[in-house]
Amino acid sequence: AQSVTQPDIHITVSEGASLELRCNYSYGATPYLFWYVQSPGQGLQLLLKYFSGDTLVQGIKGFEAEFKRSQSSFNLRKPSVHWSDAAEYFCAVAPIKAAGNKLTFGGGTRVLVKP
Amino acid sequence: NAGVTQTPKFRVLKTGQSMTLLCAQDMNHEYMYWYRQDPGMGLRLIHYSVGEGTTAKGEVPDGYNVSRLKKQNFLLGLESAAPSQTSVYFCASSYHRERGYGYTFGSGTRLTVV
């Protein structure tokens, strides 16, 4: 069955430290890949997306993600975390020919930032 | 510059009551969606629409109905609310994928069924 897995439910990181969030997917072919961020009480905001080409993708707010086909992974990274990065992060995928642009989301990773 | 607007933002229902959640978008997006968000489960697609007058089932459609009579509006109905429908509901809209998959989300409706 097709699925998206975010293995870490919670991550605590110190301000200024690096952050890496994991995402693994299981699909028959490489899908479109996305990372979204949700601040408390807010909707979701797109951080970055991968359709094809360069496997290292730059996004907003200093985030980047690397697509690794051999590992079916699309991990999100940030070199130096700011307190404002405390939020919940969702990986999402869409099969390339998905009817209606439907996204399938992982369960999310909540990031806490220590001062 | 409203984007996607959801009403209401909060609602408490008694079991068996009905209600309608309204989603409105002003970006002329073709596609619209209703998701529910539950702890640890991410967002799950309830229903979606690829155009005015069309709707389709998503991953968790049972207990919900939808309508899209106008391109800019997508309504989610609960005919007989159950405690299992306590959740945060998000509406989203997007262009067709050839235009970049630009999903825009509303700020959510927190629904509690008691």
Side-chain angles (χ1 to χ4, degrees):
Chain A
Q2 299 173 336
S3 65
V4 183
T5 302
Q6 295 179 243
D8 304 303
I9 298 174
H10 296 279
I11 286 182
T12 300
V13 60
S14 297
E15 192 168 14
S18 64
L19 174 67
E20 181 167 11
L21 304 182
R22 296 183 289 165
C23 173
N24 294 97
Y25 63 89
S26 174
Y27 273 80
T30 300
Y32 296 145
L33 299 159
F34 307 81
W35 274 100
Y36 285 85
V37 61
Q38 183 183 31
S39 298
Q42 301 298 313
L44 278 71
Q45 180 183 21
L46 179 67
L47 285 175
L48 47 79
K49 60 187 177 184
Y50 174 78
F51 286 3
S52 65
D54 192 344
T55 57
L56 187 62
V57 181
Q58 301 299 318
I60 62 171
K61 303 186 179 189
F63 285 92
E64 66 179 22
E66 185 173 14
F67 167 61
K68 292 186 176 179
R69 184 187 307 274
S70 61
Q71 299 178 18
S72 296
S73 69
F74 189 54
N75 294 348
L76 182 71
R77 299 193 293 253
K78 186 169 185 178
S80 177
V81 168
H82 187 261
W83 64 266
S84 60
D85 294 321
E88 189 157 21
Y89 293 80
F90 293 94
C91 180
V93 304
I96 292 176
K97 294 185 178 180
N101 288 8
K102 292 179 293 181
L103 293 180
T104 298
F105 288 84
T109 299
R110 186 170 298 277
V111 173
L112 303 175
V113 180
K114 296 190 301 183
Chain B
N1 195 26
V4 176
T5 302
Q6 292 182 231
T7 53
K9 296 190 183 303
F10 303 93
R11 185 72 185 268
V12 178
L13 285 180
K14 294 182 179 179
T15 297
Q17 286 184 322
S18 64
M19 78 164 294
T20 300
L21 282 66
L22 172 63
C23 177
Q25 55 98 359
D26 61 1
M27 297 165 288
N28 203 34
H29 284 169
E30 293 90 352
Y31 300 165
M32 296 187 74
Y33 316 83
W34 277 106
Y35 287 86
R36 60 178 288 172
Q37 182 181 21
D38 302 290
M41 304 186 76
L43 279 76
R44 293 179 292 167
L45 183 64
I46 304 171
H47 286 281
Y48 67 101
S49 168
V50 299
E52 182 178 321
T54 72
T55 63
K57 294 180 180 180
E59 181 185 359
V60 289
D62 294 341
Y64 305 95
N65 57 76
V66 288
S67 65
R68 193 166 178 202
L69 300 179
K70 295 182 179 181
K71 185 177 184 179
Q72 64 268 32
N73 295 338
F74 195 30
L75 278 63
L76 177 71
L78 287 73
E79 290 187 347
S80 179
S84 61
Q85 293 178 304
T86 294
S87 187
V88 181
Y89 292 85
F90 286 97
C91 177
S93 67
S94 81
Y95 287 119
H96 190 277
R97 60 178 162 272
E98 277 77 13
R99 295 182 65 182
Y101 249 106
Y103 257 63
T104 300
F105 283 86
S107 58
T109 296
R110 184 173 295 276
L111 175 65
T112 302
V113 183
V114 297

